[in-house]
């Protein structure tokens, strides 16, 4: 491996890593709460609203992110009312904003599916017990249903975080320079394909590893009660 | 809207889009098959806990699963252009290699990505096979090949099907990534049509609809297969 080349490439890729992290952070910080919300709505008794959000989720899970990205970036930019509305144009006019929007919508669809499954897996007796204690719907949600669902959903959500980090690489196809974007540019400039590939992969591995460790820590923290409970039985 | 209509049918872009869909489907199917062919021996290695090699397989799946598919596609395309070209030149069928090159390399890239996910799915399915069944077949003096073909693989297939369904959904969506290096599949055709007709929204929506159709139909087929493979087990309950 050519050390000089590596030294040259790393600053670029570090700059790219910042953009990857920004997209990933938005994906988690906006995608998680909205995903939980959509998951709850899909389980609600309002049939039409639930069906709407199910269709939303089916569309975003059934089509490639690349298609969604191109629809938002190239497709919406074509519409007149989007161009004339300053707020909409602020979103669609910049490639980074488009990438963030596409990743967020995509992760909302997947997260809602994860949490829908988690909320469904809560034993009905628990919810009934909460109601029998006179808890209101909100209190039962925050004190009983949500904590139980979170613990159930966390391993799957950890995978989703890794997927968000990986999907952010597609932003490079609409000219956002994140890790993959810089890697492609460096590959075609220096022809040192293997070296650049290895360095870029290490960047992704490190980011994903840190994200996974974080999720596992949260998991451990949340299942604290379960573990001590088990010890008593032994 | 009439412009788009004329563009689609009088200038035959509908036909190109259909062809692109066929390429996407073919690429997905062949990539998935290649992935399964790579994954099966690797999954068996991990299942039987072969020393050192098992660790290497784990490393392979971990690495491939945590880096983006786009990066793998760039590696395979940019890394192999010269090598493949010189091989073609050596054997004297350069033109044929050049025309088939994007498809073959796309298939290889998709195969590598889907193999890493398939290994984990197949290993999980293999681990649910009770050891007693294998012991029983050994005590009947079944040859190794018969144990694998008659006992292990059918049981594995039944357990692996839901996981393989997920891998397939992902694989068919990953084929869209190959369009960035110029293979004329659905996404590429849609992008060309969008550029020429200057109405990207319609054409990308069409591409999205085709992908939705493919995933929906394959979802149905998987459901049928699952019911078929589970038929003895459902009655037992």
């Amino acid at each position: 491996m050519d050390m000089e080349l590596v030294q040259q490439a790393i600053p670029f890729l570090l700059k790219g890593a910042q953009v990857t992290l920004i997209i990933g952070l938005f994906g988690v910080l906006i995608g998680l709460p909205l995903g939980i919300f959509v998951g709850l709505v899909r389980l609600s008794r309002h049939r039409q609203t639930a069906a709407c959000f199910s269709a939303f989720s089916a569309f975003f899970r059934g089509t490639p992110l690349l298609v969604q990205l191109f629809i938002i970036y190239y497709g919406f930019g074509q519409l007149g009312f989007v161009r004339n509305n300053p707020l909409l144009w602020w979103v669609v006019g910049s490639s980074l904003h488009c990438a963030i929007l596409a990743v967020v919508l995509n992760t909302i669809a997947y997260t809602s599916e994860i949490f829908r499954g988690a909320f469904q897996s809560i034993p009905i007796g628990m919810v009934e017990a909460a109601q029998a204690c006179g808890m209101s719907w909100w209190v039962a949600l925050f004190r009983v249903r949500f904590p139980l669902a979170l613990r159930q959903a966390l391993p799957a959500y950890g995978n989703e975080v890794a997927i968000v980090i990986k999907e952010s690489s597609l932003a490079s196809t609409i000219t956002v320079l994140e890790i993959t974007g810089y890697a492609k540019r460096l590959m075609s400039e220096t022809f040192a394909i293997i070296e650049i590939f290895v360095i870029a992969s290490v960047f992704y591995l490190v980011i994903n590893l840190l994200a996974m460790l974080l999720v596992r820590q949260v998991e451990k923290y949340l299942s604290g009660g379960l573990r001590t409970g088990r010890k008593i039985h032994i | 809207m009439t412009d788009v209509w004329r563009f689609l049918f009088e200038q035959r872009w509908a036909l190109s889009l259909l062809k692109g869909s066929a390429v996407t489907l073919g690429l997905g199917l062949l990539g998935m098959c290649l992935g399964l062919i790579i994954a099966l021996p690797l999954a068996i290695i991990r299942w039987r806990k072969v020393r050192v090699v098992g660790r290497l397989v784990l490393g392979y799946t971990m690495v491939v699963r945590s880096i983006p598919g786009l990066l793998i596609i760039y590696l395979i395309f940019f890394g192999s252009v010269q090598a493949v070209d010189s091989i073609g030149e050596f054997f004297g069928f350069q033109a044929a290699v050049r025309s088939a090159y994007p498809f073959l390399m796309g298939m290889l890239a998709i195969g590598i990505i889907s193999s890493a996910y398939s290994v984990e799915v197949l290993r999980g399915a293999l681990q649910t096979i009770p050891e007693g069944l294998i012991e029983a077949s050994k005590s009947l003096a079944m040859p190794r090949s018969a144990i694998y073909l008659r006992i292990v693989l059918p049981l594995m297939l039944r357990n692996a099907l839901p996981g393989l369904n997920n891998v397939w959904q992902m694989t068919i969506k990953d084929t869209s990534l190959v369009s960035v290096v110029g293979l004329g599949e659905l996404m590429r055709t849609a992008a060309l049509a969008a550029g020429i007709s200057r109405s990207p929204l319609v054409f990308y929506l069409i591409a999205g609809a085709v992908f939705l159709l493919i995933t929906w139909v394959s979802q149905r087929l998987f459901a049928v297969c699952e019911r078929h493979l589970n038929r003895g087990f459902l009655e037992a309950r």
Side-chain angles (χ1 to χ4, degrees):
Chain A
M1 209 183 251
D2 189 349
M3 276 329 276
E4 209 173 302
L5 195 118
V6 172
Q7 276 175 358
Q8 225 175 31
I10 281 182
F12 283 111
L13 291 173
L14 268 176
K15 227 190 289 172
Q18 284 174 359
V19 179
T20 296
L21 279 177
I22 287 173
I23 299 175
L25 271 180
F26 270 102
V28 172
L29 292 182
I30 303 178
L32 181 60
L34 284 182
I36 295 169
F37 172 74
V38 171
L40 270 174
V41 170
R42 287 176 63 192
L43 285 172
S44 77
R45 256 175 261 138
H46 297 275
R47 280 284 167 79
Q48 274 98 14
T49 331
C52 275
F53 279 99
S54 293
F56 159 84
S57 169
F59 175 79
F60 278 94
R61 288 184 305 124
T63 56
L65 181 65
L66 197 66
V67 173
Q68 297 154 20
L69 208 57
F70 281 10
I71 287 177
I72 293 172
Y73 185 60
Y74 295 116
F76 287 169
Q78 173 202 356
L79 299 173
F81 71 89
V82 177
R83 279 167 185 273
N84 295 329
N85 185 322
L87 180 69
L88 286 177
W89 186 244
W90 179 78
V91 174
V92 176
S94 144
S95 53
L96 180 62
H97 296 167
C98 274
I100 291 173
L101 180 66
V103 167
V104 165
L105 287 175
N106 198 277
T107 188
I108 286 174
Y110 280 96
T111 310
S112 81
E113 190 67 22
I114 293 169
F115 274 90
R116 193 180 63 106
F119 277 115
Q120 269 178 336
S121 74
I122 299 170
I124 189 76
M126 296 258 194
V127 183
E128 277 170 3
Q131 279 168 346
C133 291
M135 285 187 183
S136 72
W137 189 85
W138 282 104
V139 175
L141 177 66
F142 281 113
R143 289 280 165 110
V144 181
R145 291 173 68 199
F146 180 65
L148 285 170
L150 188 62
R151 200 156 58 189
Q152 178 85 19
L154 217 54
Y157 189 71
N159 283 338
E160 177 57 27
V161 172
I163 290 173
V164 167
I165 300 287
K166 282 191 294 169
E167 301 262 79
S168 72
S169 71
L170 292 190
S172 68
T173 59
I174 54 167
T175 71
V176 177
L177 280 173
E178 36 69 76
I179 297 178
T180 306
Y182 272 117
K184 194 202 169 194
R185 217 175 77 178
L186 288 167
M187 276 179 185
S188 47
E189 275 172 8
T190 61
F191 298 110
I193 287 134
I194 308 276
E195 284 92 335
I196 303 290
F197 172 79
V198 170
I199 306 169
S201 307
V202 168
F203 271 79
Y204 276 111
L205 276 174
V206 169
I207 295 176
N208 273 337
L209 220 63
L210 288 178
M212 263 182 231
L213 276 178
L214 197 70
V215 172
R216 201 158 295 165
Q217 284 302 316
V218 177
E219 224 174 281
K220 229 186 223 171
Y221 172 74
L222 286 178
S223 60
L226 273 189
R227 273 184 298 132
T228 48
R230 235 180 252 150
K231 265 181 205 150
I232 293 165
H233 283 292
I234 294 166
Chain B
M1 206 61 222
T2 51
D3 282 354
V4 171
W5 193 256
R6 210 181 309 140
F7 193 77
L8 265 178
F9 292 103
E10 279 173 25
Q11 296 187 25
R12 309 224 167 178
W13 276 100
L15 202 67
S16 325
L17 282 173
L18 214 58
K19 257 186 218 161
S21 313
V23 174
T24 289
L25 205 55
L27 188 66
L29 282 173
L30 288 174
M32 183 82 191
C33 287
L34 182 68
L36 282 177
I37 290 168
I38 301 172
L40 187 58
L42 296 186
I44 290 175
I45 287 171
R46 281 211 61 196
W47 175 47
R48 292 281 94 183
K49 298 214 169 77
V50 181
R51 240 178 266 163
V52 187
V53 189
R55 290 258 145 199
L56 285 178
V57 174
L58 178 65
Y60 165 77
T61 61
M62 282 289 279
V63 168
V64 174
R65 284 188 307 150
S66 55
I67 57 180
L70 203 56
L71 208 56
I72 295 173
I73 287 171
Y74 285 145
L75 170 76
I76 285 173
F77 269 82
F78 296 150
S80 67
V81 171
Q82 279 191 325
V84 171
D85 217 37
S86 55
I87 291 170
E89 201 173 22
F90 183 75
F91 288 107
F93 46 81
Q94 206 167 8
V97 166
R98 272 200 188 142
S99 63
Y101 171 75
F103 189 84
L104 288 178
M105 287 298 127
M107 197 181 95
L108 182 65
I110 297 291
I112 286 175
I113 297 166
S114 81
S115 76
Y117 289 88
S118 297
V119 168
E120 295 305 312
V121 168
L122 295 183
R123 183 189 61 100
L126 285 168
Q127 273 174 347
T128 58
I129 298 175
E131 281 294 303
L133 280 178
I134 292 160
E135 255 177 299
S137 44
K138 269 186 186 158
S139 69
L140 291 171
M142 280 172 87
R144 255 175 93 108
S145 59
I147 295 178
Y148 271 103
L149 286 176
R150 295 257 162 141
I151 311 287
V152 173
L153 289 185
L155 283 169
M156 179 200 76
L157 190 63
R158 195 177 72 91
N159 291 328
L161 212 60
L164 288 181
N165 185 5
N166 285 339
V167 176
W168 161 249
Q169 303 283 338
M170 202 200 62
T171 304
I172 194 74
K173 286 188 277 168
D174 274 352
T175 59
S176 68
L177 299 186
V178 183
S179 69
V180 299
V181 282
L183 175 66
E185 43 71 84
L186 178 59
M187 255 329 261
R188 180 84 185 153
T189 320
L192 282 177
I196 296 172
S197 70
R198 294 175 183 240
S199 46
L201 187 59
V202 179
F203 284 98
Y204 290 132
L205 280 177
I206 291 176
V210 173
F211 272 110
L212 268 184
L213 186 72
I214 293 176
T215 48
W216 184 74
V217 169
S218 53
Q219 200 83 270
R220 280 294 160 92
L221 288 179
F222 264 100
V224 171
C225 285
E226 241 167 87
R227 215 176 309 138
H228 180 73
L229 285 175
N230 277 328
R231 63 199 187 283
F233 293 82
L234 288 179
E235 282 158 25
R237 262 182 230 160

